[in-house]
């Protein structure tokens, strides 16, 4: 059994009551992030961006690429040798999108 399940449920209920309408912003920013990634010459595959999750593959090592992103203050997760997952969320605003896009342009392919 799961202890303290009510606390997790309360967080979910709060999100449903206060953040469902703004999910469209997360989805739009994820699409913009996907478009910025498609400009990279080392991109090999982009999964369709339908929600706030962006999954893509690059030629270089995914873990090394995530470390380069981290040097710019951007967190991403390597989910395979060449595959990366990025997620937009409540704290990922237009300024963060611009900063991420600029970092993606600066990191060599």
């Amino acid at each position: 059994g799961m202890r303290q399940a009510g606390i997790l449920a309360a967080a979910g209920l709060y999100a449903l009551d206060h953040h469902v309408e703004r999910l469209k912003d997360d989805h739009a920013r994820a699409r913009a992030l996907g478009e910025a990634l498609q400009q990279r010459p080392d991109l090999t595959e982009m999964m369709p961006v339908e929600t706030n999750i962006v999954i893509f593959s690059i030629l270089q090592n995914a873990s090394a690429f995530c470390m380069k992103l981290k040097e710019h203050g951007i967190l991403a997760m390597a989910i395979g040798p060449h595959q990366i997952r990025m997620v937009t969320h409540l704290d990922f605003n237009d300024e963060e999108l611009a900063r991420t896009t600029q970092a993606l342009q600066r990191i060599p392919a």
Side-chain angles (χ1 to χ4, degrees), residues 22-90:
R22 58 154 305 286
L23 280 177
K24 66 181 178 282
D25 299 332
D26 290 342
H27 297 176
R29 289 184 185 112
R31 282 190 301 275
L33 182 58
E35 291 169 9
L37 284 161
Q38 289 182 343
Q39 302 305 311
R40 292 190 57 85
D42 59 343
L43 181 82
T44 59
E45 182 181 10
M46 170 75 66
M47 298 205 44
V49 181
E50 298 173 348
T51 62
N52 65 328
I53 300 171
V54 180
I55 298 176
F56 60 98
S57 298
I58 55 174
L59 292 173
Q60 58 185 293
N61 179 279
S63 294
F65 188 79
C66 288
M67 291 302 293
K68 292 175 190 174
L69 286 170
K70 191 172 183 176
E71 291 171 6
H72 292 273
I74 299 159
L75 300 178
M77 176 185 275
I79 58 173
H82 299 281
Q83 197 170 44
I84 299 171
R85 177 180 183 259
M86 299 177 87
V87 179
T88 60
H89 50 80
L90 179 63

Side-chain angles (χ1 to χ4, degrees), residues 9-20:
L13 290 172
Y14 183 87
L16 288 172
D17 290 341
H18 296 92
H19 295 295
V20 170

